[in-house]
Amino acid sequence: MNDEVRNALEDAGRREVPEPRDDFATGLEQRLLTLAKNSPPDAPPQPARRPSVFGLAAGLVAVALALAVAVTILGNDDRSSVAFELSDSVNVVVVLADGTTLVDPDGLLLPDGAVVQVGVDGSARVGDIVLTAGDTATIVDRRLRVDRQPRSAVVSPNRPTTTPSHSTPTPATSKEPSENPPAPAPPASSATPTASPTRPTATPTAAPDTSPSSTPPSDVQYLRLTARVVGPSEVRVTWERIRGAHRYILIGTRSRDGPAATPRYPGSWIIGRFAKPPAEALTFTVRDAIVEVKVRVIALAADGSVLTRSRIVTLTFPR
Amino acid sequence: MKVDPHEDLDERTLVELARADPEAFAQLYRRYFARVYAFAYRRTSVPEIAEDITSATFERAFRSLDTFTWRASGFGPWLFRITSNELVDHYRRASRATSDRALRAAEALHGAGPPDPADAVLGRDAAADVLAAMDQLSPRYQRALSLRYLSGLTADEAAAAMGTSKATMAVVVYRATRALRRAVKAAPE
């Protein structure tokens, strides 16, 4: 009778659980701390009476927040929680809700829970809002909160420290903010693979996909994706603009032992949604235990249908 | 060596402090992170979804902390109730977003690649069939079963998380199990 079902449930409850990713655990903790510092818990029904433990320090924090935090509500152009496009990013780190860290991900549509940190000499735009060095922007309940830091308190964001080429903040002069950045060509460092101490590899594993899509065969566009390993746990990615693309979805799969699964959309890990290809290559991190990552970019039309897909690039991390 | 001053605090004090002190909340997070993640993973079998659920749980817990009233059962059941709600919401969204037809279309577009490890697990055991059928149940039944069997809570704690007495919880779990058996039988092979 119900015994079989109950036994199955008990089995499920005893199932071994793999260790959660360390970078997820620490990333989430950092994000919660940032959220806690930027937005205190929701007020109870009678907000006039605050818990006494807030005390003087909390009062000061509230005043500082009132003065320094600009809360801006922008329109939502999508059915999903994605609403804010990051652009013109220089020396910017974005931490997503799942702990994924992206460096200078121009064009990224910031989902709920994303925290944007601007480092020394850095800048970025989120919609019409200009972020400058030291600012922290958080997407909370589909709203953009900007915490403007005093200039004297500007510190470099906690960028991944394992990437030689990215641990040094990008000079502010390396990229002038542009309203319409040209279609990105892979940067020189990306076009010419350089030897890495760990000799990681990137291998295209599939030709451009020509399976059925909404694009007529005569108008097939190839979505060129370049991805390579740039550090023990970091991947640098860039791709080219596609005519008619409304969104780009960067998807991936990860494996701790053996080949990673084929990335599928929908279904696979979504690394980020972008309104346009990053003006320069973006970098994202994977956890230390990962030995292989496969990435692919999906270009979507305005109606959400798949316009075209890039090849799959396989990246291996010697461990 | 850096010592966290919150480490030795009892849970009730920690919860009170956490309303204003992010570091106290971080200590609560560290105490419960692994259990919440395990709960979410046992229900979903997919690490990425378990991560999403875990993130959402702690964010919601932080935002709702002022509504939490201390009870003898402690902070855990309240937190796990949030997790169970997030799980129910996840499956509700998933069922809306992913119809059978959409799945078939995606399969046709992308071809059949190597299965994800989670697929392999799901294909192997009866527990996976039962879990897959769970999202056919009412939210209340889903919550009751997941809290009772998958959360790692005791029967008393699970009842507290449901906001019922232990006796009522037993009845709800019995009915939910019966409904689940019907759902498993009705599921296509």
Side-chain angles (χ1 to χ4, degrees), chain A residues 11 68 101 103 128 222 257 271 274 312:
Chain A
D11 284 348
T101 303
V103 180
D128 296 330
Y222 293 114
D257 48 359
I271 301 165
F274 297 80
I312 296 167

Side-chain angles (χ1 to χ4, degrees), chain A residues 153-221:
Chain A
V154 171
V155 293
S156 186
N158 187 22
R159 310 187 97 186
T161 55
T162 48
T163 312
S165 59
H166 274 73
S167 56
T168 307
T170 310
T173 52
S174 68
K175 179 186 165 217
E176 290 296 324
S178 161
E179 286 302 314
N180 295 302
S189 61
S190 198
T192 311
T194 53
S196 158
T198 51
R199 264 179 269 168
T201 58
T203 317
T205 55
D209 206 317
T210 54
S211 55
S213 76
S214 58
T215 309
S218 59
D219 193 26
V220 169
Q221 299 182 76

Side-chain angles (χ1 to χ4, degrees), chain A residues 114-138:
Chain A
V115 176
V116 181
Q117 286 184 288
V118 184
V120 176
D121 292 334
S123 61
R125 295 170 73 93
V126 180
D128 296 330
I129 306 297
V130 176
L131 304 176
T132 55
D135 289 350
T136 300
T138 314

Side-chain angles (χ1 to χ4, degrees), chain A residues 1-2 5-6 8-13 15-18 20-21 24-25 28-29 31-33 35-37 39-44 53-54 97-98 140 211-212 254 261-262 264-266 269 296 309, chain B residues 16 19-20 22-23 25-26 29-30 33 37-38 41-42 45 48 51-52 54-55 58-59 62-63 66 106-107 109-110 113-114 116 121 125-128 130-131 134 145 149-150 174 177-178 180-181:
Chain A
M1 259 201 37
N2 285 354
V5 170
R6 194 168 56 236
L9 284 167
E10 285 171 351
D11 284 348
R15 176 176 287 164
E16 198 174 325
V17 177
R21 296 184 294 126
F24 166 66
L28 178 57
E29 183 175 338
R31 210 165 55 79
L32 287 167
L33 279 169
L35 280 175
K37 286 167 183 165
S39 58
D42 288 346
V53 284
F54 261 80
D98 66 355
V140 182
S211 55
R254 301 162 281 195
T262 301
R264 302 180 194 180
Y265 177 78
W269 166 43
R296 172 178 239 183
R309 286 164 286 157
Chain B
E16 286 305 315
R19 297 181 204 273
E23 292 297 338
F25 187 79
Y29 165 81
R30 286 192 282 274
F33 168 78
Y37 177 84
Y41 180 83
R42 289 197 178 103
S45 303
E48 287 79 7
E51 288 179 359
D52 287 348
T54 306
S55 296
F58 282 104
E59 277 181 33
F62 169 71
R63 292 187 194 293
D66 279 334
E107 192 63 41
L109 274 170
H110 298 286
D116 282 342
V121 171
D125 54 53
V130 166
L131 291 177
M134 247 172 88
L145 291 178
Y149 291 107
L150 308 177
Y174 175 78
T177 310
R178 207 171 49 186
L180 183 56
R181 185 168 56 90

Side-chain angles (χ1 to χ4, degrees), chain A:
Chain A
M1 259 201 37
N2 285 354
D3 283 353
E4 284 176 23
V5 170
R6 194 168 56 236
N7 289 342
L9 284 167
E10 285 171 351
D11 284 348
R14 285 191 293 264
R15 176 176 287 164
E16 198 174 325
V17 177
E19 283 292 308
R21 296 184 294 126
D22 289 341
D23 55 349
F24 166 66
T26 53
L28 178 57
E29 183 175 338
Q30 285 305 312
R31 210 165 55 79
L32 287 167
L33 279 169
T34 307
L35 280 175
K37 286 167 183 165
N38 288 342
S39 58
D42 288 346
Q46 55 280 41
R49 184 181 148 272
R50 302 295 297 177
S52 59
V53 284
F54 261 80
L56 180 61
L60 290 172
V61 169
V63 171
L65 282 173
L67 293 173
V69 176
V71 179
T72 307
I73 306 170
L74 299 179
N76 190 342
D77 65 347
D78 206 330
R79 287 163 300 174
S80 70
S81 60
V82 171
F84 306 99
E85 180 185 343
L86 182 76
S87 57
D88 302 337
S89 60
V90 177
N91 200 13
V92 168
V93 170
V94 179
V95 182
L96 303 183
D98 66 355
T100 301
T101 303
L102 302 161
V103 180
D104 292 341
D106 243 19
L108 177 70
L109 296 164
L110 297 164
D112 231 24
V115 176
V116 181
Q117 286 184 288
V118 184
V120 176
D121 292 334
S123 61
R125 295 170 73 93
V126 180
D128 296 330
I129 306 297
V130 176
L131 304 176
T132 55
D135 289 350
T136 300
T138 314
I139 309 296
V140 182
D141 294 334
R142 303 186 185 189
R143 295 177 181 186
L144 173 67
R145 289 177 180 273
V146 180
D147 182 8
R148 308 241 182 234
Q149 294 293 325
R151 288 296 159 262
S152 58
V154 171
V155 293
S156 186
N158 187 22
R159 310 187 97 186
T161 55
T162 48
T163 312
S165 59
H166 274 73
S167 56
T168 307
T170 310
T173 52
S174 68
K175 179 186 165 217
E176 290 296 324
S178 161
E179 286 302 314
N180 295 302
S189 61
S190 198
T192 311
T194 53
S196 158
T198 51
R199 264 179 269 168
T201 58
T203 317
T205 55
D209 206 317
T210 54
S211 55
S213 76
S214 58
T215 309
S218 59
D219 193 26
V220 169
Q221 299 182 76
Y222 293 114
L223 181 47
R224 291 183 202 285
L225 167 69
T226 306
R228 66 189 186 96
V229 176
V230 292
S233 303
E234 291 166 15
V235 175
R236 189 178 296 169
V237 179
T238 188
W239 64 90
E240 292 182 0
R241 188 188 296 270
I242 286 292
R243 235 177 14 259
H246 179 70
R247 291 279 186 271
Y248 299 88
I249 316 288
L250 176 61
I251 62 172
T253 51
R254 301 162 281 195
S255 166
R256 282 188 263 194
D257 48 359
T262 301
R264 302 180 194 180
Y265 177 78
S268 291
W269 166 43
I270 293 179
I271 301 165
R273 293 179 166 85
F274 297 80
K276 61 183 184 232
E280 294 182 24
L282 73 90
T283 305
F284 68 89
T285 56
V286 297
R287 66 172 299 188
D288 291 344
I290 296 297
V291 298
E292 186 172 298
V293 169
K294 285 192 172 86
V295 292
R296 172 178 239 183
V297 175
I298 312 289
L300 300 182
D303 63 0
S305 62
V306 174
L307 205 55
T308 187
R309 286 164 286 157
S310 74
R311 63 183 179 165
I312 296 167
V313 179
T314 302
L315 304 132
T316 55
F317 300 86
R319 300 295 182 196

